[in-house]
Amino acid sequence: MDVKLDPWSAVSIDDYSKLFDEFGIRPFDEVYSQIEDPHRYMRRKVIFGHRSYDQITDAMVNKKPFSVMSGFMPTGKLHLGHKMVMEEIIWHQQQGADAFVGIADREAHSVRNISWDKCYDIGVNEYIISLIALGFEPDGHIYFQSNSDQVKDLAFELGAKANFSELSAIYGFTGETSVSHMLSAVTQSADILHPQLGEYDGPKPTVVPAGADQDPHIRLTRGLGHKMNMFKIEGREDKKGNSYFSIRSKAAPEGALKEMSERILGRTKLFEGHVDVFDADNFDVLLNTVRQVELEFGGYAFVPPSSTYHRFMSGLQGGKMSSSVPESYIALTEDPKGAAKKVKRAKTGGRTTLEEQKKLGGEPENCSVYEMLLFHLVEDDEELAQIYNECRQGERVCGNCKVLAAERTEKFLKEHQELRELAKDRLDEYGL
Ligand code: TRP
Ligand code: SF4
């Protein structure tokens, strides 16, 4: 029998290839080899794409400062999809990132009409307690948007660079959209950029782990980061074909360019509105000087944020996982026994009869039970590869996978809920 033995093929990225071509998301493969001890999602191609993640691998390899950041809207139950983002944040924190988690209560309040009390309750009791139980360390930062003057002030500043047409192209805003809803869009950009404020030691790469559908927010934020900066550096060529850099001022205050021309190592020439730099052999040094001068003249010098994109889990019944269909997902606070039952009822990639299953093998790429194993329940790659191969070769029946997945789900939830009890007593370590 000709079987394709690729245990990760359940994670087909074909559906996502359009993202590479049309939107400029890069394949994660190209940075993978730089990562010393890659996360399960990286090894299994669950994380399939990125934007400027090379800045992050550079920081990890060379022990430079970097941040990881994401936000959660406190609207309801925390499920396995949210857990993925939390694990990615915690993994980067363990690799040395300064970690930030924002509870997007301004967004939940303005977009979903959830009261402030409810936002707080869900934010702490669903999201934050599980985040801590999953291993988020207290040297990271957990905050509510409504409680962060830094984020709110930065949102206002960013709002000056975002106009209605741009936002409506991304978010589908219309004449009916409330002003607060629009404000919550730039608040999300402020969430992402605020780890680079002076309070947190200034500009640095920041990675936002997200689902692929979040890319428009990332693009908006990268654009706003650029627009906020005083300078841009362009590579140019003179008439003889020699390349040089031109540092262009975008409304930088008076004196900033002159300071720049004096500070930069190498030959420079000061013009109205720009400084040209010849024979600068080290771009990183040049970039650092530009950022330094910008900071001294009161600018932000934001580094455009990086991102990773993971593929989604499907719902347990096939189709999409949806918060409005409890049978489609598993919440981290639900009854472990009930969750095990859901797993046992889940849709598999098995054939209609045992005979067919033996003859044709199952279809793990179409199996929500296999997805549970791949995304959450089997850490050991070899164990997973074995399950995959047995399935494809018709040597495995779905009942076995269901029992395994159900047992592990129940065990994971029981343990997680015990850890949550401990986390409840530790909130003060996180300034909450
Ligand atoms: N808008 C996101 C959501 O709908 C939540 C969010 C707020 C967020 N701020 C963020 C996500 C910053 C990533 C980064 O869930
Ligand atoms: Fe899915 Fe396991 Fe059945 Fe294969 S044997 S289709 S992996 S449940």
Side-chain angles (χ1 to χ4, degrees):
M1 199 183 346
D2 180 25
V3 281
K4 201 169 106 223
L5 299 183
D6 174 4
W8 320 143
S9 65
V11 188
S12 146
I13 58 169
D14 291 352
D15 326 346
Y16 294 101
S17 59
K18 166 164 139 257
L19 294 172
F20 297 151
D21 304 341
E22 281 178 33
F23 296 107
I25 292 178
R26 306 286 314 168
F28 199 75
D29 289 349
E30 70 184 18
V31 290
Y32 181 79
S33 65
Q34 297 293 307
I35 303 167
E36 202 180 299
D37 187 12
H39 187 270
R40 165 172 97 251
Y41 297 147
M42 298 170 174
R43 302 196 306 269
R44 299 179 185 174
K45 303 184 188 195
V46 170
I47 293 177
F48 66 89
H50 76 99
R51 283 188 193 271
S52 56
Y53 196 76
D54 47 331
Q55 301 187 117
I56 303 298
T57 53
D58 173 56
M60 292 193 289
V61 170
N62 299 304
K63 310 262 176 268
K64 298 185 201 162
F66 69 108
S67 302
V68 59
M69 186 303 129
S70 189
F72 298 92
M73 233 209 299
T75 50
K77 288 284 169 197
L78 172 71
H79 55 57
L80 291 175
H82 300 113
K83 170 181 169 268
M84 290 175 67
V85 178
M86 291 188 172
E87 284 181 281
E88 291 166 23
I89 294 170
I90 293 165
W91 182 85
H92 283 97
Q93 187 180 38
Q94 289 164 350
Q95 313 303 308
D98 197 10
F100 293 77
V101 172
I103 301 298
D105 58 345
R106 284 202 135 189
E107 189 177 348
H109 186 72
S110 64
V111 181
R112 302 283 182 86
N113 226 337
I114 296 177
S115 75
W116 295 113
D117 282 350
K118 195 113 210 258
C119 284
Y120 185 79
D121 179 47
I122 298 175
V124 172
N125 293 310
E126 282 289 322
Y127 290 79
I128 295 176
I129 288 174
S130 274
L131 177 70
I132 296 172
L134 289 169
F136 188 87
E137 293 288 342
D139 60 359
H141 316 265
I142 305 175
Y143 66 95
F144 284 77
Q145 285 176 333
S146 66
N147 206 16
S148 170
D149 285 342
Q150 290 163 350
V151 168
K152 289 187 286 188
D153 290 348
L154 181 57
F156 189 80
E157 297 284 347
L158 296 175
K161 303 283 178 194
N163 65 32
F164 177 72
S165 335
E166 189 183 10
L167 292 189
S168 42
I170 295 175
Y171 300 100
F173 291 167
T174 68
E176 307 300 305
T177 307
S178 77
V179 174
S180 301
H181 187 163
M182 294 181 206
L183 191 55
S184 74
V186 284
T187 305
Q188 168 161 333
S189 293
D191 283 328
I192 295 171
L193 290 168
H194 94 287
Q196 303 193 52
L197 295 177
E199 289 84 342
Y200 304 107
D201 299 332
K204 66 180 90 53
T206 303
V207 58
V208 182
D213 64 327
Q214 300 288 310
D215 185 55
H217 310 305
I218 303 288
R219 273 190 295 153
L220 171 71
T221 308
R222 286 166 65 89
L224 289 176
H226 275 300
K227 285 185 196 163
M228 293 300 283
N229 291 346
M230 284 175 185
F231 301 104
K232 71 176 189 233
I233 307 180
E234 290 177 354
R236 303 214 162 181
E237 232 172 57
D238 68 15
K239 290 193 193 83
K240 290 183 194 141
N242 302 315
S243 49
Y244 65 99
F245 292 112
S246 184
I247 299 164
R248 323 289 296 184
S249 157
K250 305 185 290 172
E254 205 169 328
L257 272 178
K258 184 161 180 293
E259 177 72 20
M260 186 82 79
S261 68
E262 286 162 11
R263 203 78 84 73
I264 287 168
L265 303 171
R267 217 152 44 82
T268 60
K269 199 162 173 196
L270 178 62
F271 296 89
E272 182 80 20
H274 61 111
V275 179
D276 290 351
V277 183
F278 308 92
D279 41 68
D281 47 18
N282 190 328
F283 182 73
D284 280 348
V285 174
L286 179 65
L287 187 61
N288 262 334
T289 310
V290 172
R291 288 193 177 137
Q292 202 51 45
V293 172
E294 172 158 353
L295 290 174
E296 282 166 28
F297 279 81
Y300 291 102
F302 287 131
V303 181
S306 310
S307 51
T308 58
Y309 299 108
H310 57 237
R311 130 184 217 279
F312 295 109
M313 286 182 71
S314 26
L316 289 174
Q317 303 298 319
K320 266 195 155 178
M321 194 152 82
S322 157
S323 345
S324 53
V325 186
E327 280 295 304
S328 76
Y329 67 86
I330 286 170
L332 270 65
T333 46
E334 77 179 69
D335 168 40
K337 287 212 157 49
K341 282 198 189 120
K342 272 190 199 172
V343 172
K344 285 199 176 149
R345 285 196 296 266
K347 182 183 157 288
T348 72
R351 308 284 174 178
T352 26
T353 65
L354 192 60
E355 201 172 75
E356 260 186 73
Q357 178 93 350
K358 281 194 176 143
K359 203 169 108 207
L360 303 168
E363 293 181 293
E365 31 285 294
N366 250 326
C367 175
S368 66
V369 176
Y370 185 73
E371 272 191 8
M372 282 289 288
L373 300 172
L374 179 138
F375 279 72
H376 297 285
L377 301 172
V378 178
E379 184 60 41
D380 179 6
D381 290 348
E382 274 179 32
E383 185 188 354
L384 189 69
Q386 193 181 344
I387 293 171
Y388 179 89
N389 291 343
E390 284 176 12
C391 170
R392 288 293 303 265
Q393 285 164 335
E395 292 160 6
R396 200 171 172 91
V397 291
C398 297
N400 288 350
C401 286
K402 284 185 170 179
V403 169
L404 179 71
E407 276 174 8
R408 290 201 186 175
T409 300
E410 188 175 334
K411 180 161 176 279
F412 164 73
L413 289 179
K414 251 176 92 186
E415 284 172 6
H416 180 67
Q417 289 166 15
E418 280 163 21
L419 291 168
R420 278 177 54 91
E421 288 309 310
L422 300 177
K424 285 179 187 163
D425 296 329
R426 292 179 54 211
L427 288 171
D428 56 332
E429 288 175 44
Y430 298 80
L432 294 158

